[in-house]
Amino acid sequence: YVGNLSRDVTEALILQLFSQIGPCKNCKMIMDTAGNDPYCFVEFYEHRHAAAALAAMNGRKIMGKEVKVNWATTPSSQKKDTSSSTVVNTQRSQDHFHVFVGDLSPEITTEDIKAAFAPFGRISDARVVKDMATGKSKGYGFVSFFNKWDAENAIQQMGGQWLRGGLMRQTFSPFGQIMEIRVFPDKGYSFVR
């Protein structure tokens, strides 16, 4: 479910944005006659891509409006009442909490993000999103935790960290409060202040 859309948003634009995360089956735009904002449903082939889209796109601005992305309910409840379409979880996702990881340097792999986030708790899935055509990293990914508290803790601790810095942080934090970590992967050294 993608809501709070600008009236200028088209199905084609939504498909273009969301298919960067994973292959989309279809997109259905609902134009409300009562004058409310349009909303739409995006269907992915794979659950993990839908989960990544939810983590990546919720709260993002599309044409100047912050969109709301949520799990859609079953088709039977997609009535005129738009509030019914924002019911949260699907069964598969009830016990997973997704953390979006952005601004990754191109050499960061899925293994790297697993290693960096593993200390925060049990991970159900981790993935660097790759370009279908080139196989290169798109510079973002996601990590899914079984436990909500672990996910929130990871967001708090890792926000603004260099990912390789995340591993440094785990290694050096027992020795005192860390002010700054700077990693120079090409030179093979780091500074920890």
Side-chain angles (χ1 to χ4, degrees), residues 80-118:
K80 275 275 176 262
D81 172 18
T82 55
S83 65
S84 71
S85 47
T86 57
V87 174
V88 188
N89 284 329
T90 59
Q91 203 53 46
R92 282 281 310 276
S93 205
Q94 237 157 4
D95 49 3
H96 302 278
F97 298 89
H98 309 286
V99 178
F100 177 70
V101 189
D103 296 327
L104 297 177
S105 52
E107 79 279 1
I108 297 284
T109 65
T110 293
E111 289 311 307
D112 290 330
I113 63 172
K114 266 190 188 147
F117 283 86

Side-chain angles (χ1 to χ4, degrees), residues 25 47 53 63 69 73 150 174:
K25 212 171 190 174
H47 181 270
M63 291 191 158
V69 184
T73 53
D150 291 341

Side-chain angles (χ1 to χ4, degrees), residues 2-192:
V2 186
N4 198 38
L5 294 174
S6 154
R7 295 181 173 277
D8 303 320
V9 169
T10 61
E11 277 183 9
L13 175 67
I14 292 291
L15 268 176
Q16 194 183 351
L17 290 171
F18 280 77
S19 59
Q20 287 176 8
I21 293 161
C24 295
K25 212 171 190 174
N26 65 43
C27 170
K28 176 136 181 65
M29 184 81 77
I30 314 291
M31 292 301 212
D32 194 358
T33 47
N36 294 323
D37 289 327
Y39 59 96
C40 70
F41 296 98
V42 179
E43 190 180 353
F44 286 89
Y45 286 99
E46 290 193 47
H47 181 270
R48 64 191 171 94
H49 290 140
L54 194 142
M57 302 301 282
N58 188 33
R60 287 274 169 114
K61 280 195 174 173
I62 301 178
M63 291 191 158
K65 290 190 77 169
E66 269 190 30
V67 297
K68 289 185 170 49
V69 184
N70 229 324
W71 294 109
T73 53
T74 52
S76 62
S77 63
Q78 291 166 10
K79 298 186 195 72
K80 275 275 176 262
D81 172 18
T82 55
S83 65
S84 71
S85 47
T86 57
V87 174
V88 188
N89 284 329
T90 59
Q91 203 53 46
R92 282 281 310 276
S93 205
Q94 237 157 4
D95 49 3
H96 302 278
F97 298 89
H98 309 286
V99 178
F100 177 70
V101 189
D103 296 327
L104 297 177
S105 52
E107 79 279 1
I108 297 284
T109 65
T110 293
E111 289 311 307
D112 290 330
I113 63 172
K114 266 190 188 147
F117 283 86
F120 295 102
R122 254 175 84 220
I123 290 172
S124 59
D125 196 8
R127 189 160 275 100
V128 170
V129 177
K130 294 195 164 122
D131 186 295
M132 294 294 210
T134 64
K136 288 197 171 85
S137 164
K138 287 193 169 189
Y140 63 89
F142 67 95
V143 180
S144 306
F145 288 92
F146 284 104
N147 183 313
K148 184 180 184 182
W149 192 86
D150 291 341
E152 284 173 357
N153 192 25
I155 290 169
Q156 235 174 359
Q157 299 290 318
M158 295 295 279
Q161 290 310 317
W162 284 68
L163 201 52
R164 301 249 185 234
L167 303 170
M168 299 294 293
R169 181 165 291 269
Q170 259 94 55
T171 310
F172 287 93
S173 59
F175 303 104
Q177 190 186 350
I178 294 172
M179 306 295 286
E180 181 187 19
I181 294 176
R182 297 186 63 191
V183 182
F184 302 91
D186 48 329
K187 297 195 173 76
Y189 63 80
S190 317
F191 289 114
V192 182

